[in-house]
């Protein structure tokens, strides 16, 4: 009974971001990383071509990440791919859209969009969902 | 083991990894397709929990409709509740629970089975079988019922602890075939209940007891297909009130391919007494032939050897007619200087049981010595070559025929050998004309022939002669080789054919002209006298109708023979009829032939979508009464068939009293090889 | 006078026969045709109808109804029907010979019908009188119907 993403404790961990380039918006509320962006948070790895990061008021913690241009989310043994994804860090919920592919162990689910709750490990796929029952 | 594929509008993955799919859920696995409103998949327990309405359609046409199900991911194992199994779109089984046990077996409990269309308007089907347990064996295509109750129109009429039925489409399952209730004036009222026993794909045995107030009969039919041919043996034994002592029959037939293109067909046919086959409606043959025939057919030659034993069932024939004969035939065509050279050798040997060298009165109708045995060998060479210019075809013809005869047990003196040369020419002109909407073909033709070789020869096989458009231009109109048409003669005729958009009609008029009367032909054949009767043949063919008429009449327009045949096949009716009128005459074998004027008519009529009728009749104009009448009605509902036939013969003779036969047969459809007819959709009430 | 127009041609090579009826039919047809040509395939069916029973159900006369369904390679096809009769009142030997002769005559008539159909199909046919031939609703003529291709 291993939930999606290995466990809840990762959600609160600090977020590191590495990218080729960084440009910060003038008001400092958000930043755009581009070129092979990799975001790490404990066991969770999110990589994408472009990630826009939104910080909460005091500019100290990342509140939201919007990744586009082909996103891969790896969380422990499970992984998810999509064209774009947005990660609400506080809620620990990732919404993936566009040719989503969730894989947990042997079961792989493809759908148009999916919502993954990293805290509870639940996932909800919608739209033309296909999966193979091993 | 191919994994099952799931498709849905939404899939929810719970923390414990169970998948819940909702919204037009489909599970597909090599040929089996399941649709449902929601499916829950627990990977650890490896089970699918499915909520209805569920529809599982198997590869072979079976469909299961159900409310809920608990199945393995490969849809092979598990329990389905509130299930309705539809087999091959025909037989429906409604069950409280259905258990899939592997790919082969399906077990249902508290089942109602029927092939009838059940509508809300009238929920009780014509017939249904209720059973506690039903097992469907998809591999053997059999259905087993336990503690079954058969209901007709809702009324239980039979309780069967165990019942086994062939599934739809299974036409070689062992079991009872449709029972037939028969009542005949000679054998009383009774039932025939055939039991079919297949022994592998190429052999089967059918045992048919026939129990009636007037008879106790068992009938066996064995059929076998070999690699190089097939054969069947039917035999029966009876004890009945018609004739004391055991009675019975044997009918065996087989045809086999031999090496180098030869084919053998063999038959043995006999019966304990003359009337048995007619009494039991097995065959209305009045002569039984046993023996074998070997033939080889190729483009340019035909070879045949035949040995046959005759068993006459006719009261008017005893042992003064041949009871055995052997024939040999080899016919080959060579191309020869632009023409055709046909070489033909044929031989006949016949034997009569008696040795009386004279024809005693009362033995039979002919004047042939009652004990005559004979043999004949004929060698024949034909040459013809056609020269054509424009529409004219000129064909000089030459034939040389040598025959040797041998006769025993006949006091009469015959010549021993015959040499019959024929010389002649065939003139044919083919012309065509197109008028508006039709094209015509006209073909006048004349044959001038002379044949030598007259003499007094034994004639066994050429005592019945016919004249029609098929032998108007034949070199000898005698059917066999014993007799030859000699003397000078001119066969003249014209054929007119018109082909229009709707119909094709044709007319042939012809005659045989001779300088003097060769005295060869009986007056009833149309060929007697100095010149033959006029032959007039007409035919009409349209998309649905084909009619042919043939009449022979002399110069005073008195008809010698008139025959007609007509077949009509329309969208809802089919009719076929035949008429024959022939003047009484004395045949070549001295027998006196009575005049005949008779018509037969057979037809089928689709009355309604479920009822069709059939009728048949034979009318004797001289006796002015029917000789035989038959009427039948068949009802074909969507899940049962019933057939009623009534037959009455009016011919009366010592061996056979007039016979009336009535038959009723009732069969459930939706099983075995009788498909149910999905014709009646439910009414507006649905 | 001007030479008469040549007849519409009919040249074909009947397929090799597989039984006696086919042998007799193929030879009768070959004798009537102008010469070898495209392959002509044919299927012969026949049915006996017993008539004129005497009191003791003894058959006196039998009519053989024969049909040949034919088709010329790359050309027309059709179905011809005819019948011949024979008397079954002689001895069994005479009746067997009468039956074979009736079969031979039947094949001769069917061969003449097929030859006529081939020539009529080849014959030029003038345009039909009625400009439009109404197709009777639901009147699906059975396949290979005998209505000859001479029709427009």
């Amino acid at each position: 009974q291993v939930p999606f993403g290995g466990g809840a404790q990762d959600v609160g961990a600090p977020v590191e971001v590495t990218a080729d380039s960084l440009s910060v918006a003038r008001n400092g509320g958000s930043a755009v990383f581009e070129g092979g962006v990799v975001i790490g948070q404990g066991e969770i790895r999110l990589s994408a071509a472009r990630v826009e990061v939104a910080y909460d008021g005091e500019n100290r913690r990342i509140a939201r990440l919007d990744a586009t241009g082909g996103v891969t989310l790896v969380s422990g043994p499970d992984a998810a791919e999509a064209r774009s994804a947005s990660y609400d860090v506080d809620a620990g919920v990732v919404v993936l859209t566009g040719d989503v592919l969730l894989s947990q162990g042997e079961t792989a689910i493809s759908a148009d969009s999916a919502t993954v709750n990293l805290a509870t490990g639940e996932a909800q796929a919608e739209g033309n969902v296909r999966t193979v029952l091993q | 083991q191919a994994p099952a594929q799931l498709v849905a509008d939404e899939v929810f993955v719970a923390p414990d990894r169970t998948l819940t799919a909702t919204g037009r859920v489909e599970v597909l696995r090599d040929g089996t397709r399941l649709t449902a409103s929601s499916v829950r998949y627990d990977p650890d327990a490896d089970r699918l929990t499915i909520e209805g309405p569920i529809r599982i359609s198997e590869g072979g046409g079976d469909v299961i409709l159900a409310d809920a199900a608990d199945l393995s991911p490969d849809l092979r194992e598990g329990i389905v509740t509130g299930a309705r199994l539809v087999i091959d779109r025909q037989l429906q089984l409604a069950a409280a629970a259905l258990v899939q046990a592997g790919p082969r077996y399906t077990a249902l409990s508290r089942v109602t089975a029927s092939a009838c269309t059940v509508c809300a308007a009238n929920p009780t089907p014509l017939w249904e079988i209720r059973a506690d347990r039903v097992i469907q064996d998809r591999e053997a295509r059999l259905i087993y019922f336990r503690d079954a109750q058969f209901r007709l129109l809702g009324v239980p009429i039979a309780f069967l602890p165990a019942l086994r039925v062939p599934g739809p489409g299974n036409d070689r399952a062992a079991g009872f075939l449709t029972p037939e209730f028969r009542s005949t004036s000679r054998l009383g009222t009774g039932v025939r209940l055939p039991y079919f026993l297949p022994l592998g794909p190429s052999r089967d045995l059918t045992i048919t007891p026939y129990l009636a107030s007037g008879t106790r009969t068992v009938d066996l039919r064995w059929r076998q297909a070999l690699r190089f041919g097939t054969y069947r043996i039917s035999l029966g034994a009876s004890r009945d009130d018609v004739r004391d002592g055991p009675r019975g029959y044997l009918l065996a037939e087989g045809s086999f391919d031999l090496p180098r293109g030869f084919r053998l067909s063999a038959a043995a046919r006999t019966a304990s007494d003359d009337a048995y086959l007619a009494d039991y409606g097995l065959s209305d043959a009045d002569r039984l032939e046993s023996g074998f025939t070997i033939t080889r057919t190729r483009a340019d030659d035909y070879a045949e050897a035949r040995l046959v034993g005759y068993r006459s069932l006719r009261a008017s024939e005893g042992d003064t007619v041949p009871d055995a004969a052997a024939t040999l035939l080899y016919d080959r065509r060579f191309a020869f200087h632009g023409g055709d050279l046909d070489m033909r050798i044929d031989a006949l040997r016949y034997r009569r049981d008696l040795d009386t060298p004279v024809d005693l009165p009362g033995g039979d109708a002919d004047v042939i010595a009652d004990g005559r045995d004979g043999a004949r060998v004929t060698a024949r060479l034909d040459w013809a070559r056609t020269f054509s210019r424009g529409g004219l075809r000129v064909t000089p013809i030459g034939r040389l025929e040598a025959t040797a005869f041998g006769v025993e047990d006949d006091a009469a003196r015959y010549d021993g050998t015959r040499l019959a040369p024929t010389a002649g020419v065939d003139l044919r002109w083919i012309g065509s004309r197109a008028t508006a909407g039709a094209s015509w073909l006209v073909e006048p033709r004349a044959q001038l022939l002379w044949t030598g070789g007259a003499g007094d020869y034994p004639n066994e096989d050429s005592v019945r002669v016919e004249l029609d458009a098929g032998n108007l231009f034949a070199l000898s109109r005698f059917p066999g080789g014993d007799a030859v048409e000699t003397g000078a003669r001119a066969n003249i005729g014209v054929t007119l054919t018109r082909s229009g958009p709707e119909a094709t009609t044709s007319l042939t008029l012809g005659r045989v002209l001779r300088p003097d009367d060769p005295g060869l032909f009986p007056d009833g054949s149309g060929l007697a006298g100095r010149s033959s009767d006029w032959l007039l043949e007409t035919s009409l063919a349209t998309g649905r109708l084909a009619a042919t008429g043939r009449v022979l009449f002399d110069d005073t327009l008195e008809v010698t023979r008139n025959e007609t045949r007509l077949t009509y096949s329309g969208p809802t009716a089919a009719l076929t009829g035949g008429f024959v009128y022939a003047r009484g005459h004395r045949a070549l074998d001295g027998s006196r032939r009575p005049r005949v004027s008779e018509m037969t008519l057979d037809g089928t009529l689709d009355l309604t979508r479920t009822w069709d009728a059939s009728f048949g009749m034979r009318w004797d104009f001289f006796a002015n009464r029917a000789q035989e009448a038959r009427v039948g009605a068949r009802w074909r509902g969507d899940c049962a068939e019933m057939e009623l036939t009534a037959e009455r013969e009016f011919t009366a003779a010592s061996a056979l009293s007039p016979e009336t036969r009535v038959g009723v047969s009732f069969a459930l459809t939706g099983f075995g090889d009788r498909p149910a007819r999905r014709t009646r959709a439910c009414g507006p009430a649905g | 006078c001007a030479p008469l127009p040549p007849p519409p041609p009919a040249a074909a090579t009947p397929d090799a026969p597989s039984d006696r009826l086919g042998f007799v039919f193929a030879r009768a047809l070959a004798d009537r045709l102008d010469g070898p040509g495209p392959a002509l395939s044919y299927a012969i069916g026949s049915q006996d109808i017993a008539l004129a029973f005497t009191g003791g159900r003894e058959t006196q006369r039998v009519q053989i109804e024969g049909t040949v369904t034919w088709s010329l390679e790359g050309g027309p096809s059709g179905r011809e029907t005819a019948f011949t009769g024979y008397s079954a009142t002689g001895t069994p030997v005479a009746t067997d010979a009468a039956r074979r002769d009736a079969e031979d005559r039947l094949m001769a008539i069917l061969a003449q019908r097929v030859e006529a159909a081939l020539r009529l199909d080849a014959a030029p046919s003038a345009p039909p009188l009625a400009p439009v031939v109404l197709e009777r609703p639901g009147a699906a003529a059975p396949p290979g119907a005998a209505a000859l291709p001479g029709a427009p």
Side-chain angles (χ1 to χ4, degrees), chain B residues 176-233:
Chain B
F176 286 100
L177 302 179
T178 325
E180 190 205 350
F181 303 94
R182 259 166 75 92
S183 128
T184 74
S185 42
R186 258 179 246 135
L187 299 172
T189 304
V191 65
R192 286 164 91 124
L193 186 57
Y195 183 85
F196 178 72
L197 188 60
L199 303 160
S202 59
R203 295 178 312 200
D204 57 54
L205 177 67
T206 308
I207 305 137
T208 310
Y210 171 33
L211 305 174
S213 48
T215 178
R216 281 176 314 291
T217 298
V218 71
D219 200 296
L220 296 172
R221 186 198 63 182
W222 165 267
R223 292 186 310 176
Q224 177 157 11
L226 307 165
R227 205 171 26 78
F228 51 90
T230 62
Y231 72 94
R232 79 171 45 207
I233 299 171

Side-chain angles (χ1 to χ4, degrees), chain B residues 284 286-287 289 304 310 314-316 333 393 428 434 443 464 466 468 550 563 565 598 600 618 627, chain C residues 27 31-32 34 50-53 57-59 61 63 65 83 88-90 95-96 100 105 124:
Chain B
D284 47 22
D286 55 13
R287 279 172 174 157
E289 288 190 6
E304 177 183 300
Y310 299 111
R314 298 185 178 187
S316 68
R333 166 164 287 189
R393 300 274 182 282
R428 188 158 82 104
E443 188 191 303
R464 293 288 179 275
E466 304 273 334
D468 59 27
R550 176 175 302 130
E563 278 184 288
R565 274 214 70 76
E598 182 176 305
T600 70
R618 184 192 309 284
Q627 284 198 337
Chain C
R27 180 178 282 186
D31 287 350
R32 297 188 70 95
D34 303 339
L51 286 157
F53 281 24
R57 289 186 55 73
E58 292 172 13
T59 309
R61 188 154 186 86
Q63 286 178 342
E65 181 167 90
F83 83 96
T89 53
T95 304
D96 276 354
R100 287 168 81 102
R105 286 184 272 117

Side-chain angles (χ1 to χ4, degrees), chain A residues 37-131:
Chain A
V37 183
V38 175
I39 295 164
Q41 185 185 32
E43 288 269 312
I44 300 164
R45 285 284 169 283
L46 192 148
S47 55
R50 179 180 182 282
V51 176
E52 195 179 327
V53 177
Y55 297 92
D56 64 7
E58 298 78 20
N59 203 353
R60 269 182 288 93
R61 270 175 68 322
I62 296 175
R64 253 169 83 77
L65 300 161
D66 283 313
T68 54
V71 176
T72 311
L73 171 70
V74 174
S75 163
D78 306 326
E81 280 165 26
R83 272 208 302 278
S84 61
S86 70
Y87 178 22
D88 178 339
V89 180
D90 299 337
V93 168
V94 182
V95 175
L96 303 118
T97 49
D99 297 339
V100 178
L101 182 61
L102 299 175
S103 56
Q104 287 174 283
E106 300 88 22
T107 49
I109 302 173
S110 71
D112 295 346
S113 69
T115 310
V116 177
N117 184 326
L118 299 176
T120 64
E122 287 163 357
Q124 171 86 15
E126 276 112 16
N128 198 358
V129 185
R130 281 178 191 284
T131 179

Side-chain angles (χ1 to χ4, degrees), chain B residues 357-654:
Chain B
V358 287
D359 173 40
L360 299 177
D364 51 38
D366 60 44
V367 297
I368 302 171
D370 289 347
R372 180 168 88 183
D373 307 334
R376 170 180 56 77
V377 178
T378 303
R380 188 163 86 193
L381 212 55
D382 281 2
W383 178 78
R385 175 170 182 185
T386 301
F387 301 90
S388 46
R389 255 179 42 55
L392 189 62
R393 300 274 182 282
V394 180
T395 310
I397 297 168
R399 165 178 286 184
L400 196 58
E401 184 178 285
T403 309
F405 293 89
V407 170
E408 286 161 8
D409 301 333
D410 188 342
R413 280 285 144 266
Y414 298 103
D415 300 335
T417 60
R418 173 178 65 209
L419 194 57
T422 300
V425 65
D426 184 321
L427 307 166
R428 188 158 82 104
W429 184 74
I430 307 161
S432 90
R433 225 164 66 75
T435 63
S439 33
W440 298 75
L441 201 64
V442 58
E443 188 191 303
R445 184 176 181 183
Q447 260 181 359
L448 310 176
L449 298 166
W450 173 85
T451 305
D456 187 6
Y457 302 100
N459 180 1
E460 183 71 37
D461 67 8
S462 298
V463 291
R464 293 288 179 275
V465 192
E466 304 273 334
L467 172 60
D468 59 27
N471 66 356
L472 177 58
F473 295 104
L475 298 190
S476 167
R477 273 168 274 266
F478 284 107
D482 283 359
V484 164
E485 188 168 349
T486 55
R489 61 220 180 262
N491 304 325
I492 56 162
V494 60
T495 300
L496 206 60
T497 312
R498 174 189 184 281
S499 152
E502 289 299 325
T504 302
T505 52
S506 79
L507 177 142
T508 299
L509 185 64
R511 187 171 210 181
V512 180
L513 303 175
R514 289 183 277 245
D516 37 49
D517 181 354
L520 290 170
F521 298 103
D523 57 13
S525 66
L527 283 156
R530 206 160 72 83
S531 297
S532 76
D533 284 354
W534 285 98
L535 163 70
L536 174 64
E537 279 203 23
T538 53
S539 84
L540 163 72
T542 68
R544 290 214 184 91
L545 179 72
T548 309
R550 176 175 302 130
V551 62
L552 289 165
F553 53 88
D554 59 22
D555 286 327
T556 66
L557 295 186
E558 201 206 345
V559 171
T560 306
R561 175 180 294 117
N562 176 5
E563 278 184 288
T564 315
R565 274 214 70 76
L566 171 137
T567 55
Y568 166 81
S569 59
T572 58
L575 195 68
T576 173
F579 167 75
V580 61
Y581 163 80
R583 232 171 355 128
H585 62 281
R586 181 168 296 284
L588 281 179
D589 56 11
S591 60
R592 181 91 202 90
R593 303 310 335 140
R595 57 182 185 163
V596 168
S597 175
E598 182 176 305
M599 176 182 78
T600 70
L601 203 60
D602 291 278
T604 59
L605 200 61
D606 290 349
L607 300 171
T608 69
R609 205 174 34 74
T610 49
W611 282 96
D612 55 62
S614 66
F615 61 91
M617 195 244 330
R618 184 192 309 284
W619 185 269
D620 182 338
F621 289 105
F622 284 131
N624 208 359
R625 59 168 170 67
Q627 284 198 337
E628 200 180 75
R630 177 175 53 79
V631 67
R634 183 169 60 164
W635 171 78
R636 282 188 299 172
D638 56 6
C639 54
E641 274 179 18
M642 188 176 65
E643 190 157 1
L644 305 123
T645 54
E647 233 174 298
R648 174 96 175 96
E649 277 164 26
F650 306 94
T651 51
S654 55

Side-chain angles (χ1 to χ4, degrees), chain B residues 144-148 159-164:
Chain B
Y144 301 81
F145 292 82
R146 286 282 176 282
D147 305 329
F159 294 88
L160 305 157
L163 169 68
R164 197 197 47 165

Side-chain angles (χ1 to χ4, degrees), chain C residues 5-97:
Chain C
T13 309
D15 286 352
S18 60
D19 59 14
R20 196 185 82 81
L21 286 185
F23 181 78
V24 175
F25 171 79
R27 180 178 282 186
L29 187 57
D31 287 350
R32 297 188 70 95
L33 293 175
D34 303 339
L40 179 98
S41 60
Y42 51 89
I44 297 168
S46 75
Q47 183 201 1
D48 287 7
I49 301 99
L51 286 157
F53 281 24
T54 61
R57 289 186 55 73
E58 292 172 13
T59 309
Q60 291 186 81
R61 188 154 186 86
V62 176
Q63 286 178 342
I64 309 177
E65 181 167 90
T67 56
V68 59
T69 310
W70 56 274
S71 86
L72 190 66
E73 192 186 357
S77 63
R79 192 162 68 104
E80 314 304 334
T81 306
F83 83 96
T84 51
Y86 67 92
S87 161
T89 53
T91 68
V93 171
T95 304
D96 276 354

